[in-house]
Amino acid sequence: MKRRVAILISGRGSNMAALIKAAAASHDFPAEIAVVISNRADAAGLEKAKAAGVPTAVVESKPFGKDRAGFEAALQATLDECRIELICLAGFMRLFTASFVQRWYGRMLNIHPSLLPSFPGLDPHGQALSAGVKISGATVHFVIPETDAGPILMQGAVSVSDHDSADTLSERILEVEHRIYPDALRLLASGQARLEGDICKTVASAASGNFLISPVVGE
Ligand code: GRF
């Protein structure tokens, strides 16, 4: 049985689209995208989800103001109605209470465009450029109450060049995001990822001989 997944978005939904595409592309994908839920009625991703034939729902967060628990009760009602087992946050711009996170612990993933634990929070690309790192990337992790933290399920790396702007770096990292989020969901939904305390271990884990070196020094 495929695991029933909700993708939560607030904006353009390119990661959402990558997850939908991967789930639809192969019969053996262990998850189905049962619903896309946005906390904003104007999220561009909603139209993309509809066009892909995925059910959508809007649970507006604005009317709840600072009442996060109230918003989460409405959200949980939608998740219950859709019999959701796993949640993927994909550009969802709303913080959760510890109690909602606890309820979904081990079953809720997020993607962040940096190699966590470096550069959590806002403007991770700008943070990476200011720090002068030569390699950055993206991280899929389990959600815990602390923002952009939690057991790491998968990471992908890109080189950073002196000519990068936050925009060009973000474009390159986005490609990695679209690659690793579906793979990470596949691992979780097929039971190939397990939590050991604060660490996530996966059956796919193997040291590869691949290097990513940046900058490359010519002969
Ligand atoms: C992505 O960079 C993701 O890592 C971050 O928010 C952005 C969402 O982009 N959490 P999209 O809506 O998936 O295109």
Side-chain angles (χ1 to χ4, degrees), residues 11-16 90-92 110-113 125 174 177-178:
R12 68 185 163 182
S14 73
N15 278 288
M16 171 212 77
F92 186 68
N110 181 43
I111 188 158
H112 183 76
H125 310 100
L174 200 58
E177 295 184 44
H178 297 166

Side-chain angles (χ1 to χ4, degrees), residues 127-150:
Q127 291 187 55
L129 293 175
S130 304
V133 295
K134 307 306 179 211
I135 292 176
S136 190
T139 303
V140 178
H141 64 95
F142 289 92
V143 176
I144 62 171
E146 197 185 329
T147 307
D148 299 326

